[in-house]
Structures are given as structure tokens and as C-alpha cells.
Amino acid sequence: SAMRGFTGGASTREGRVKLDIEPLVENGNAVPITITVDSPMTLSEHVKQIAVFNQKNPQPDVIVATLSPALAQARLATRIRLATTQQLVAVARLSDGSLWTHTVEVIVTLAACLE
């Protein structure tokens, strides 16, 4: 539902987005992720937003970042917490209105975010 809220129910396509995260995480407290989107980042063609959603954390939306066409590259790097083994989905909204995704499965051996 969080992803539908971001996309407005519009269809998404696989490709152009790469969510880079280790497939096996020993500790879910500070997991590094990097999202890159294939885009020339010009005024006429650029990434407007990048969002990451998770399946099993208490809050399903991890991050939503707004990008500027002034950036040389559509890239976002941060650390997140993961409650348990789950899927993560990165979604990029481009200036033409298209939505692109990449989904990964992450195995977490020591969980975080559990209340």
C-alpha cells in the first residue's frame, strides 16, 4: 500500500533502477544500500524521485528522496534498518512520468526494528 501511495496506482516497469545491497546481512541495524538509476540527468530527461519500500519492517516506506536535474548522476546511498528477511523495492519516478523498479530479497540473520 505504501508503494501504491507513491506511484498513485500507476504501473511500474522493471529496469533502469539498480538496488545494490548484500543478499545476506548479518546484522539488520545498519545495512548499507545504494540505488542508481540509468538517466542522463538533463533538464529534459532526469530522475525526479527515488523511493525504497520494504515488506516486513514496522514502517513500509524506508526513504523518499527528491533529485534535481543539476545532479551529475542519479544515485542515492544510505544505511537502513531491517527487521528480518524480506524483499526491498526501489522505485524511480522519471521526468516523463514513467516509474521504474528493482526488487531484491535480503536474508537478515540478526533482526532489527522489532518492537
Side-chain angles (χ1 to χ4, degrees), residues 5-79:
F6 178 78
T7 64
S11 63
T12 61
R13 295 183 268 182
E14 283 285 328
R16 294 189 73 168
V17 178
K18 181 175 188 236
L19 173 55
D20 189 22
I21 184 171
E22 290 295 322
L24 176 63
V25 175
E26 289 186 26
N27 186 336
N29 284 311
V31 182
I33 64 170
T34 302
I35 304 97
T36 53
V37 184
D38 181 21
S39 171
M41 295 304 285
T42 63
L43 282 175
S44 60
E45 185 181 347
H46 60 276
V47 178
K48 292 178 81 171
Q49 290 182 304
I50 296 173
V52 178
F53 303 95
N54 64 70
Q55 186 181 37
K56 296 183 180 176
N57 280 11
Q59 296 181 347
D61 49 339
V62 175
I63 188 170
V64 176
T66 301
L67 282 69
S68 163
L71 294 172
Q73 184 182 35
R75 183 176 186 270
L76 172 67
T78 189
R79 292 182 180 270

